[in-house]
Coordinates of all heavy atoms in Angstrom, one line a residue:
L1 N 3.3 28.0 -56.2 CA 1.9 28.3 -55.6 C 1.5 29.9 -55.9 O 2.4 30.8 -55.6 CB 1.8 28.1 -54.1 CG 0.5 28.4 -53.5 CD1 -0.7 27.5 -53.9 CD2 0.7 28.2 -51.9
E2 N 0.5 30.1 -56.5 CA 0.0 31.5 -56.8 C -0.7 32.0 -55.5 O -1.6 31.4 -55.0 CB -1.0 31.5 -57.9 CG -1.4 33.0 -58.3 CD -2.2 33.1 -59.6 OE1 -1.9 32.2 -60.5 OE2 -3.0 33.9 -59.6
T3 N -0.3 33.2 -55.1 CA -0.9 33.8 -53.9 C -2.2 34.6 -54.4 O -2.1 35.3 -55.4 CB 0.1 34.8 -53.2 OG1 1.3 34.0 -53.0 CG2 -0.5 35.3 -52.0
A4 N -3.2 34.5 -53.5 CA -4.4 35.2 -53.7 C -4.7 36.1 -52.7 O -4.1 36.1 -51.6 CB -5.6 34.2 -53.9
D5 N -5.6 37.1 -52.9 CA -6.1 38.0 -51.8 C -6.6 37.0 -50.7 O -7.2 35.9 -51.0 CB -7.2 38.9 -52.3 CG -6.5 40.0 -53.3 OD1 -5.4 40.1 -53.4 OD2 -7.4 40.7 -53.8
A6 N -6.7 37.5 -49.6 CA -7.3 36.7 -48.4 C -8.4 37.4 -47.7 O -8.3 38.6 -47.4 CB -6.1 36.3 -47.5
V7 N -9.4 36.7 -47.3 CA -10.5 37.2 -46.4 C -10.4 36.6 -45.1 O -10.4 35.3 -45.1 CB -11.8 36.9 -47.1 CG1 -13.0 37.3 -46.2 CG2 -12.0 37.5 -48.4
L8 N -10.3 37.3 -44.1 CA -10.3 36.8 -42.8 C -11.7 37.0 -42.2 O -12.2 38.1 -41.9 CB -9.3 37.7 -41.9 CG -9.3 37.3 -40.4 CD1 -8.9 35.8 -40.1 CD2 -8.4 38.2 -39.6
D9 N -12.3 35.8 -41.9 CA -13.7 35.8 -41.3 C -13.4 36.0 -39.7 O -13.0 35.0 -39.1 CB -14.5 34.6 -41.6 CG -15.8 34.5 -41.0 OD1 -16.1 35.5 -40.1 OD2 -16.6 33.6 -41.3
A10 N -13.7 37.2 -39.2 CA -13.3 37.4 -37.9 C -14.4 37.4 -36.9 O -14.3 37.8 -35.7 CB -12.6 38.9 -37.9
E11 N -15.5 36.8 -37.3 CA -16.7 36.7 -36.4 C -16.4 36.1 -35.0 O -16.8 36.6 -34.0 CB -17.8 35.9 -37.1 CG -19.0 35.9 -36.3 CD -20.2 35.1 -36.9 OE1 -19.9 34.0 -37.4 OE2 -21.3 35.5 -36.7
A12 N -15.6 35.1 -34.9 CA -15.3 34.4 -33.7 C -14.1 35.0 -32.9 O -13.8 34.4 -31.9 CB -15.0 32.9 -34.0
I13 N -13.5 36.0 -33.5 CA -12.3 36.5 -32.8 C -12.8 37.7 -31.9 O -13.4 38.7 -32.3 CB -11.3 37.2 -33.9 CG1 -10.8 36.0 -34.9 CG2 -10.2 37.8 -33.1 CD1 -10.0 36.6 -35.9
S14 N -12.5 37.5 -30.7 CA -12.9 38.5 -29.6 C -11.8 39.3 -29.1 O -12.0 40.4 -28.5 CB -13.7 37.7 -28.5 OG -12.8 36.9 -27.8
D15 N -10.6 38.8 -29.3 CA -9.5 39.5 -28.7 C -8.2 39.3 -29.5 O -8.1 38.2 -30.2 CB -9.2 39.0 -27.3 CG -8.2 40.0 -26.5 OD1 -8.0 41.2 -26.8 OD2 -7.5 39.5 -25.5
V16 N -7.3 40.2 -29.6 CA -6.1 40.1 -30.3 C -4.9 40.6 -29.3 O -5.0 41.8 -28.9 CB -5.9 40.9 -31.7 CG1 -4.6 40.7 -32.2 CG2 -7.1 40.3 -32.6
D17 N -3.9 39.8 -29.0 CA -2.9 40.3 -28.1 C -1.8 40.6 -29.0 O -1.8 40.6 -30.3 CB -2.4 39.2 -27.1 CG -2.0 38.0 -27.7 OD1 -1.8 37.9 -28.9 OD2 -1.8 36.9 -26.9
T18 N -0.6 41.1 -28.4 CA 0.5 41.6 -29.3 C 1.1 40.4 -30.2 O 1.5 40.7 -31.2 CB 1.6 42.2 -28.3 OG1 2.0 41.1 -27.3 CG2 1.1 43.4 -27.7
T19 N 1.1 39.2 -29.6 CA 1.7 38.1 -30.4 C 0.7 37.9 -31.7 O 1.2 37.7 -32.8 CB 1.6 36.8 -29.5 OG1 2.5 37.1 -28.5 CG2 2.2 35.7 -30.5
G20 N -0.6 37.9 -31.3 CA -1.5 37.7 -32.6 C -1.4 38.8 -33.5 O -1.6 38.7 -34.8
A21 N -1.3 40.1 -33.1 CA -1.1 41.2 -33.9 C 0.1 41.1 -34.8 O 0.1 41.4 -36.0 CB -1.2 42.6 -33.1
E22 N 1.1 40.6 -34.3 CA 2.4 40.4 -35.0 C 2.3 39.4 -36.0 O 2.7 39.6 -37.2 CB 3.6 40.1 -34.0 CG 4.9 39.9 -34.7 CD 5.4 41.2 -35.6 OE1 5.0 42.3 -35.2 OE2 6.0 41.0 -36.6
A23 N 1.6 38.3 -35.7 CA 1.3 37.2 -36.7 C 0.5 37.7 -37.9 O 0.7 37.5 -39.0 CB 0.6 36.0 -36.0
L24 N -0.6 38.5 -37.5 CA -1.4 39.1 -38.5 C -0.6 40.1 -39.4 O -0.8 40.1 -40.6 CB -2.6 39.8 -37.9 CG -3.7 40.3 -38.8 CD1 -4.3 39.1 -39.7 CD2 -4.7 40.9 -38.0
R25 N 0.3 40.9 -38.7 CA 1.1 41.8 -39.5 C 2.0 41.1 -40.5 O 2.3 41.5 -41.6 CB 1.9 42.7 -38.5 CG 2.5 43.8 -39.2 CD 3.1 44.9 -38.2 NE 2.2 45.3 -37.1 CZ 1.1 46.0 -37.2 NH1 0.7 46.5 -38.4 NH2 0.4 46.4 -36.1
Q26 N 2.6 39.9 -40.0 CA 3.5 39.2 -40.9 C 2.7 38.6 -42.2 O 3.2 38.7 -43.3 CB 4.0 38.0 -40.2 CG 5.1 38.4 -39.3 CD 5.6 37.3 -38.4 OE1 5.5 36.2 -38.7 NE2 6.4 37.6 -37.4
V27 N 1.4 38.2 -41.9 CA 0.6 37.7 -43.0 C 0.2 38.8 -44.0 O 0.3 38.7 -45.2 CB -0.7 37.0 -42.5 CG1 -1.7 36.8 -43.7 CG2 -0.4 35.8 -41.7
E28 N -0.1 40.0 -43.4 CA -0.4 41.1 -44.2 C 0.8 41.6 -45.1 O 0.7 41.8 -46.3 CB -0.9 42.3 -43.4 CG -1.3 43.5 -44.2 CD -1.7 44.7 -43.2 OE1 -1.1 44.8 -42.1 OE2 -2.5 45.6 -43.7
A29 N 2.0 41.6 -44.4 CA 3.2 42.0 -45.2 C 3.5 41.0 -46.3 O 4.0 41.5 -47.4 CB 4.4 42.0 -44.2
Q30 N 3.3 39.7 -46.1 CA 3.6 38.7 -47.1 C 2.6 38.9 -48.3 O 3.0 38.8 -49.4 CB 3.5 37.3 -46.5 CG 4.7 36.9 -45.7 CD 4.5 35.6 -44.9 OE1 3.4 34.9 -45.1 NE2 5.5 35.3 -44.2
L31 N 1.3 39.2 -47.9 CA 0.3 39.3 -49.1 C 0.7 40.6 -49.8 O 0.6 40.7 -51.1 CB -1.0 39.5 -48.4 CG -1.6 38.1 -48.1 CD1 -2.8 38.2 -47.1 CD2 -1.9 37.2 -49.2
T32 N 1.0 41.7 -49.1 CA 1.4 43.0 -49.7 C 2.5 42.8 -50.6 O 2.5 43.4 -51.8 CB 1.6 44.1 -48.6 OG1 0.4 44.2 -47.9 CG2 2.0 45.4 -49.3
A33 N 3.6 42.1 -50.2 CA 4.8 41.9 -50.9 C 4.5 41.1 -52.3 O 5.1 41.3 -53.3 CB 5.9 41.1 -50.1
A34 N 3.4 40.3 -52.2 CA 3.0 39.6 -53.4 C 1.9 40.3 -54.2 O 1.5 39.7 -55.2 CB 2.4 38.3 -53.0
G35 N 1.8 41.6 -53.9 CA 0.8 42.4 -54.6 C -0.7 42.0 -54.3 O -1.6 42.3 -55.1
R36 N -0.9 41.5 -53.1 CA -2.2 41.0 -52.7 C -2.6 41.8 -51.5 O -1.9 42.5 -50.9 CB -2.3 39.5 -52.5 CG -1.8 38.7 -53.6 CD -2.7 38.9 -54.8 NE -2.4 38.0 -55.9 CZ -3.1 37.9 -57.0 NH1 -4.2 38.7 -57.1 NH2 -2.7 37.1 -57.9
R37 N -3.8 41.5 -51.0 CA -4.3 42.3 -49.8 C -5.1 41.3 -48.9 O -5.5 40.2 -49.3 CB -5.2 43.4 -50.2 CG -6.5 43.0 -50.9 CD -7.2 44.2 -51.4 NE -8.3 43.7 -52.3 CZ -9.6 44.0 -52.2 NH1 -9.9 44.9 -51.2 NH2 -10.5 43.6 -52.9
L38 N -5.2 41.7 -47.6 CA -5.9 41.0 -46.6 C -7.1 41.9 -46.4 O -6.9 43.1 -46.0 CB -5.2 40.8 -45.4 CG -5.7 40.2 -44.2 CD1 -6.2 38.8 -44.4 CD2 -4.7 40.3 -43.0
V39 N -8.3 41.3 -46.3 CA -9.5 42.1 -45.9 C -10.2 41.2 -44.8 O -10.0 40.1 -44.6 CB -10.5 42.3 -47.1 CG1 -9.8 43.1 -48.2 CG2 -11.1 40.9 -47.6
V40 N -10.9 42.0 -44.0 CA -11.5 41.4 -42.8 C -13.1 41.4 -43.0 O -13.7 42.5 -43.4 CB -11.2 42.2 -41.5 CG1 -11.9 41.6 -40.3 CG2 -9.7 42.1 -41.4
A41 N -13.7 40.3 -42.6 CA -15.2 40.2 -42.7 C -15.7 39.9 -41.2 O -15.1 39.2 -40.5 CB -15.7 39.1 -43.6

């Protein structure tokens, strides 16, 4: 599977707790390791 850059549509997200932040950090790290990026809309 080829990894692509990711766009997170955050319109419906009103809060992020520490667990959510850690999950997002893991996704960001995996994308970065693959030479990709995560952007937020």
Side-chain angles (χ1 to χ4, degrees):
L1 179 64
E2 184 175 325
T3 304
D5 291 349
V7 175
L8 173 63
D9 181 353
E11 181 181 39
I13 301 172
S14 60
D15 191 23
V16 177
D17 62 11
T18 55
T19 303
E22 181 56 32
L24 188 59
R25 193 167 312 287
Q26 289 176 11
V27 169
E28 181 185 29
Q30 290 173 354
L31 287 167
T32 300
R36 302 301 182 170
R37 64 190 172 125
L38 174 65
V39 299
V40 178

